[in-house]
Amino acid sequence: HGAAMSPYKERVAHGLLGASLVPGMTSLVSPQVVGRNVPEAYLLGFEISYRGAIMILDTIKIKWRITEKADDPAQNGFGIIKTAIQVVNQEEKAVYEGTLSTKVRKEAAKNEKLSLKPGKPWEYKEFVWEPEKFYYMEDFIIGEGQMSCGRTITEADIVNFCGLTGDYNPLYVDVLSAKESTFGERIAPPMLPWTVGMGLLMRDGDLLRTKVAPEAATWAGHLGDGASFHAPVKIGDTIRVLSRMESSRASKSKPKLGIMRMGLQIINQRDEVVQEGYIMLTRGTKAEG
């Protein structure tokens, strides 16, 4: 019933489901783009804008092209490849657009090992949720946030996620190959912890549980996601998600529409930030007219 009241009039696929299919489907026909079977390569991040929705029974394809090659400022001998992607449906309509970033070793540095460095958690002021209050964009305070409960990443998570996305990178599924890698063991596909983090945010995040005023309900939506993958998540790691309001503004063309950016950090049991990024949301404003 709720989906029938939405602009799409029916259920749609979660945005991150389609986003997770991007590296998986790309790896099947163009594995070098996401570093599959490329020594000392690592999927470093993504950005996705949701131009439309993937509907049940839609058939999608991924279009891609290399748009940029640059030195990696964090490690000599490595470069960062940026790949523009489009997710198109059976009508050749682009429903998602974005970029993948992959860290790759240069030929001249063939003996160098991949190095990744986790970050540090943000400071934030605890958000206090008022369950009966209607929240407009102006009611969200920059710098307020929350920490979720934990979730341990298991082998079953990795197996199921690889099966869903089609991404069978040896780093994720091949014990012997992963043992010989820089990591020394299998790691989770980077999109898996980010997706789990989004689930933790939806489960525990009061910021997303806030009530939307009836007249502003049509302005509540999800515009896009982006993340940088600082360090790997391994089997047995326990992750939490820290969410924090980063910015908000009224739309220039639609004064009743507010655009908000919520920052997210995926933090492991050692208080290391292994992933960091954002989601873009819309919410009605208090503007009149």
Side-chain angles (χ1 to χ4, degrees):
H1 176 74
M5 302 296 290
S6 75
Y8 299 108
K9 307 302 182 185
E10 59 181 291
R11 289 177 298 157
V12 301
H14 194 293
L16 270 180
L17 171 59
S20 295
L21 290 172
V22 170
M25 293 175 64
T26 303
S27 77
L28 296 175
V29 294
S30 307
Q32 75 282 1
V33 171
V34 293
R36 177 176 172 179
N37 293 327
V38 178
E40 303 303 313
Y42 187 74
L43 182 62
L44 206 57
F46 79 100
E47 288 189 307
I48 294 285
S49 294
Y50 303 127
R51 306 299 186 188
I54 298 174
M55 318 299 289
I56 295 173
L57 297 183
D58 274 358
T59 298
I60 62 170
K61 296 183 292 185
I62 312 300
K63 295 183 177 181
W64 65 268
R65 61 186 177 90
I66 303 295
T67 56
E68 184 180 336
K69 296 195 297 184
D71 291 339
D72 180 3
Q75 186 177 7
N76 292 332
F78 282 74
I80 297 176
I81 309 298
K82 292 193 174 182
T83 305
I85 61 94
Q86 279 190 332
V87 179
V88 298
N89 62 18
Q90 66 276 8
E91 298 173 355
E92 291 297 316
K93 178 182 177 181
V95 289
Y96 297 178
E97 293 183 345
T99 304
L100 296 177
S101 297
T102 307
K103 182 169 181 171
V104 182
R105 185 173 62 185
K106 296 181 180 181
E107 184 177 4
K110 60 183 179 180
N111 293 322
E112 292 293 324
K113 294 295 184 180
L114 177 69
S115 176
L116 299 169
K117 184 179 180 180
K120 296 182 180 180
W122 295 319
E123 294 183 357
Y124 66 99
K125 181 180 178 181
E126 189 74 23
F127 172 73
V128 180
W129 177 39
E130 298 180 43
E132 300 306 317
K133 176 181 177 178
F134 290 123
Y135 282 78
Y136 296 85
M137 180 198 73
E138 294 89 341
D139 295 313
F140 294 94
I141 307 302
I142 305 306
E144 288 191 343
Q146 291 180 309
M147 184 77 77
S148 78
C149 294
R151 166 73 151 76
T152 301
I153 300 300
T154 68
E155 181 175 16
D157 292 328
I158 294 175
V159 171
N160 289 332
F161 193 80
C162 291
L164 174 66
T165 62
D167 192 350
Y168 288 100
N169 189 318
L171 285 174
Y172 315 148
V173 299
D174 185 334
V175 172
L176 298 179
S177 179
K179 186 176 181 180
E180 298 300 320
S181 73
T182 298
F183 306 115
E185 60 184 290
R186 286 173 294 166
I187 64 173
M191 289 297 294
L192 169 57
W194 186 257
T195 304
V196 169
M198 186 67 72
L200 292 173
L201 177 65
M202 297 295 291
R203 186 191 71 182
D204 298 337
D206 292 337
L207 284 164
L208 295 187
R209 277 203 288 264
T210 53
K211 292 176 66 174
V212 181
E215 74 275 11
T218 57
W219 296 125
H222 186 185
L223 299 178
D225 300 287
S228 296
F229 304 137
H230 297 318
V233 174
K234 300 179 179 180
I235 295 171
D237 280 355
T238 297
I239 62 172
R240 297 162 290 152
V241 60
L242 169 60
S243 55
R244 184 182 70 171
M245 292 303 304
E246 291 189 337
S247 66
S248 63
R249 64 176 177 85
S251 168
K252 295 179 181 179
S253 59
K254 298 177 180 179
K256 288 187 176 181
L257 175 64
I259 300 174
M260 307 189 305
R261 175 175 167 131
M262 181 185 294
L264 303 181
Q265 288 185 323
I266 307 299
I267 302 171
N268 66 17
Q269 68 274 17
R270 294 178 293 277
D271 285 330
E272 298 170 335
V273 174
V274 291
Q275 299 184 348
E276 182 173 303
Y278 65 89
I279 59 174
M280 299 298 296
L281 304 166
T282 59
R283 181 64 71 104
T285 71
K286 294 178 180 179
E288 297 182 357

